[in-house]
Amino acid sequence: MRRDLRRLADETFDVAVLGGGVYGLAAAWACALRGLSAAVVERGDFGAATSAFQIEGAAFEDGRRASIWDAFSKMPGRVFERHDGDIACDHYHVWKGDLDLMKRLGVDAYRFSVAWPRILPQGRGAVNDRGLAFYDRLVDGLLERGIEPHATLYHWDLPLALMADGGWTARSTAEAFADYADIVIRTLGDRLSSVATFNEPWCSVWLSHLY
């Protein structure tokens, strides 16, 4: 598994630097998604999706540190009225009620993202066990309610500490991501229905650096 993750790190870095390679990656993913979509339609699954920064809140609780979005949203003129994710939907505290609502709605599958700075506050190094435990409880809670858990490892919330090294323009960030992915999968992988590495990679590796 570690070799596969290292290969993923190298490929991710190459795509980020070359830029144009994103289109080839997107095309490959589109083919895979068409097959997945066909399976979902045949089964008739009804799903819901969120991302960590958009709903969790608790931005600086239980060991979580800042992400690039925490910093960006607090810059004057960047976000309407400087709205941020400090509280958001407070999912970190009310997640049980949120899952109950999904069950009442008849949701079969739930896609969520894992907040990298909640697992590795500095982007690498010491693991924040309290952050990892949150997702452990979340996945178990989904399964207890008969909802399939589908995780995304990165939804644009890069740990702010990694920006000091250049963020995604530095190969060390791809290597740090491989280590982070390994930690998450070792803890949650046996219970996840699927795992996605990056949400909309074109936005991260193209728009974020081109503009």
Side-chain angles (χ1 to χ4, degrees):
M1 177 181 287
R2 178 56 66 90
R3 285 195 300 272
D4 292 340
L5 289 170
R6 285 298 178 190
R7 186 173 67 251
L8 169 64
D10 288 338
E11 292 171 353
T12 299
F13 178 81
D14 292 339
V15 168
V17 171
L18 293 175
V22 172
Y23 294 104
L25 179 63
W29 279 21
C31 292
L33 287 173
R34 279 197 292 271
L36 177 60
S37 297
V40 168
V41 170
E42 183 178 347
R43 289 172 50 185
D45 288 346
F46 174 50
T50 64
S51 74
F53 183 79
Q54 293 168 346
I55 70 162
E56 284 182 1
F60 300 98
E61 292 185 34
D62 289 342
R64 184 190 182 279
R65 299 292 293 274
S67 73
I68 55 175
W69 263 104
D70 291 296
F72 181 82
S73 63
K74 290 178 170 57
M75 293 179 180
R78 297 292 187 177
V79 178
F80 177 70
E81 293 186 352
R82 297 176 73 172
H83 291 175
D84 57 41
D86 288 0
I87 299 175
C89 302
D90 203 27
H91 177 68
Y92 188 79
H93 296 119
V94 302
W95 64 272
K96 289 183 180 179
D98 290 342
L99 299 193
D100 289 339
L101 285 173
M102 283 192 278
K103 182 175 176 60
R104 287 170 55 194
L105 286 169
V107 170
D108 301 306
Y110 175 53
R111 178 272 191 190
F112 63 96
S113 73
V114 179
W116 187 348
R118 200 177 292 285
I119 306 302
L120 294 169
Q122 298 297 328
R124 56 169 64 88
V127 176
N128 178 28
D129 291 332
R130 290 174 294 178
L132 199 55
F134 168 71
Y135 296 105
D136 200 42
R137 295 191 299 269
L138 181 67
V139 170
D140 282 346
L142 288 165
L143 293 173
E144 288 167 4
R145 292 163 176 81
I147 302 171
E148 292 182 1
H150 298 263
T152 297
L153 297 176
Y154 183 74
H155 195 125
W156 307 347
D157 47 357
L158 184 75
L160 185 60
L162 294 181
M163 282 304 297
D165 299 327
W168 286 113
T169 65
R171 183 175 292 276
S172 59
T173 296
E175 294 169 348
F177 176 79
D179 292 335
Y180 155 68
D182 184 54
I183 292 165
V184 174
I185 297 305
R186 286 180 184 276
T187 303
L188 307 178
D190 61 328
R191 288 161 288 158
L192 295 174
S193 295
S194 72
V195 180
T197 49
F198 291 83
N199 175 75
E200 298 178 276
W202 187 81
C203 295
S204 296
V205 303
W206 187 256
L207 286 180
S208 297
H209 294 91
L210 179 63
Y211 299 106

